[in-house]
Amino acid sequence: MKARLKVIKSDATIEEYLHTKVMHTISRVLDGIGQADITTAESLSEVVTYYLYQRHGESVIPSSEVLSVVKVSLASVGFEAAAEALTEHYYQRKIRRSRTEVVHINLAEASEAEIFLGDVVALEKSPWDKSVIIEDLAVGQSIDRSIARMIAAMVEEKVFNMGSARVPRSLIRQLVISETATVLRAQRQLQIA
């Protein structure tokens, strides 16, 4: 039996390869270009998974290779627009990550004018890093790493959808609490069912 395939993420963490994640990505990108087709998404994800498992017997591959194989698979069956949309999404996400910073603001020390005008000076700034959330949940809260990664992705999506380049740490903390509660509640309901 072959070893389970692992993926090296852009933040250098390693996670198990998930066929369903590839299928979801293909389905989402086809839907995004107005050509939603679950059968095509299932077939292409099978091709991608088969190729990756057959590739030189490697058990750890970079996420960029998974992305490349997905794009080539899409383009090879006539979905060039979907492959381009996936590339655009990848680069937009990379730009958002590089332009977003987490700030710690002490409102108790800010003047009313600063608060009103939005010129509150941040005490600490750090670049956006989804892996900080993952580590806090996995190590600090003993949440399974794959669940922690999913929660962090949900928080990241909400942060990026806000469109703000500076995000208060306190807001991120609240988003993490909210998304964690939602995921854990859903997980419990699935276990009961």
Side-chain angles (χ1 to χ4, degrees):
M1 183 176 166
K2 284 196 169 203
R4 298 285 304 180
L5 195 60
K6 303 279 185 187
V7 178
I8 303 170
K9 304 297 284 183
S10 59
D11 62 6
T13 59
I14 297 176
E15 71 176 37
E16 192 171 313
Y17 172 81
L18 295 174
H19 171 78
T20 53
K21 191 171 182 179
V22 171
M23 187 170 64
H24 173 72
T25 298
I26 294 171
S27 179
R28 189 180 70 232
V29 76
L30 289 174
D31 186 43
I33 63 163
Q35 297 195 9
D37 182 355
I38 193 66
T39 305
T40 300
E42 288 173 349
S43 298
L44 286 176
S45 63
E46 289 288 337
V47 169
V48 169
T49 299
Y50 178 80
Y51 173 80
L52 292 173
Y53 268 98
Q54 296 303 314
R55 189 179 182 282
H56 310 293
E58 291 183 74
S59 61
V60 179
I61 59 171
S63 60
S64 59
E65 183 172 341
V66 176
L67 177 67
S68 294
V69 174
V70 169
K71 291 189 308 188
V72 167
S73 297
L74 285 164
S76 69
V77 293
F79 291 109
E80 291 88 0
E84 290 173 17
L86 190 55
T87 300
E88 177 69 19
H89 175 77
Y90 171 78
Y91 284 113
Q92 285 299 319
R93 172 124 340 210
K94 198 170 186 173
I95 288 169
R96 286 180 180 158
R97 284 180 176 150
S98 70
R99 292 183 178 169
T100 303
E101 62 183 5
V102 178
V103 295
H104 175 70
I105 300 169
N106 186 343
L107 291 178
E109 293 180 11
S111 71
E112 286 182 40
E114 288 175 321
I115 294 170
F116 180 73
L117 296 173
D119 293 333
V120 179
V121 178
L123 299 175
E124 299 173 30
K125 295 179 188 177
S126 58
W128 173 259
D129 185 356
K130 182 173 73 171
S131 66
V132 171
I133 296 170
I134 297 167
E135 285 304 308
D136 180 55
L137 291 171
V139 176
Q141 304 299 321
S142 301
I143 292 176
D144 179 81
R145 191 165 287 278
S146 63
I147 304 273
R149 182 171 286 286
M150 180 176 55
I151 293 166
M154 292 164 69
V155 170
E156 181 177 70
E157 194 64 32
K158 286 191 175 188
V159 166
F160 291 167
N161 285 341
M162 290 185 329
S164 178
R166 298 175 73 195
V167 183
R169 186 185 315 162
S170 58
L171 175 59
I172 294 169
R173 188 175 304 119
Q174 290 302 313
L175 290 172
V176 169
I177 290 168
S178 174
E179 296 304 325
T180 301
T182 300
V183 168
L184 294 179
R185 187 174 26 254
Q187 191 178 33
R188 276 193 301 275
Q189 289 174 348
L190 285 172
Q191 290 172 347
I192 292 171

